Amino acid sequence: MLIATLLPLLTRYSLGCDLVAGPDETITLTIIPRTPEGSTHKLKSGETRPISITASAQEIDAELARGSDGALGQLIASRSTLAEQIAEQRQAAEDARKAAAEAAKAKPAPATSRTAPISNAAKAQTLISPPADAKSEEPASLW
């Protein structure tokens, strides 16, 4: 039953298993995905995260017997779905990057407009001269 339940994982990973007896007759089953021998596929960090189930032996057997409807099966399905979504997002990002690069190559460089520089004397005159409606006996207001 354990091997049949793990078969979907075995198609993509080499698996390490660890069984540890705990207090009150509980057992922790830890499944560790690894890169299969001879595989060119490099596992991402999310794919190599161990899967742990802690329960009584009967509960683990019952959960594994549920197959794809059990906790382990649902976790495997969720990881597969997430991996597919990540692959799709990476492909979409790569396509968008390529499209942006192509658009940048096709777009001509914008013409720079040259304006006559303002002389220092004109700048100084603009800064020093008071407003036209200013009265000499009143301080200038910004408002």
Side-chain angles (χ1 to χ4, degrees), residues 19-97:
L19 286 169
V20 177
D24 302 327
E25 297 183 10
T26 60
I27 296 175
T28 299
L29 167 64
T30 304
I31 301 163
I32 307 153
R34 298 183 183 131
T35 304
E37 288 184 29
S39 174
T40 58
H41 174 71
K42 298 289 182 192
L43 298 180
K44 306 289 186 232
S45 63
E47 292 178 296
T48 60
R49 296 184 79 187
I51 301 168
S52 290
I53 300 173
T54 302
S56 69
Q58 295 80 12
E59 291 170 329
I60 291 174
D61 284 342
E63 205 52 47
L64 293 176
R66 293 179 60 199
S68 62
D69 293 332
L72 184 59
Q74 289 177 358
L75 183 59
I76 293 167
S78 296
R79 283 190 176 184
S80 296
T81 302
L82 288 173
E84 290 168 4
Q85 289 175 358
I86 290 169
E88 288 174 7
Q89 290 296 321
R90 285 185 179 147
Q91 185 61 44
E94 181 65 20
D95 292 345
R97 186 192 63 77

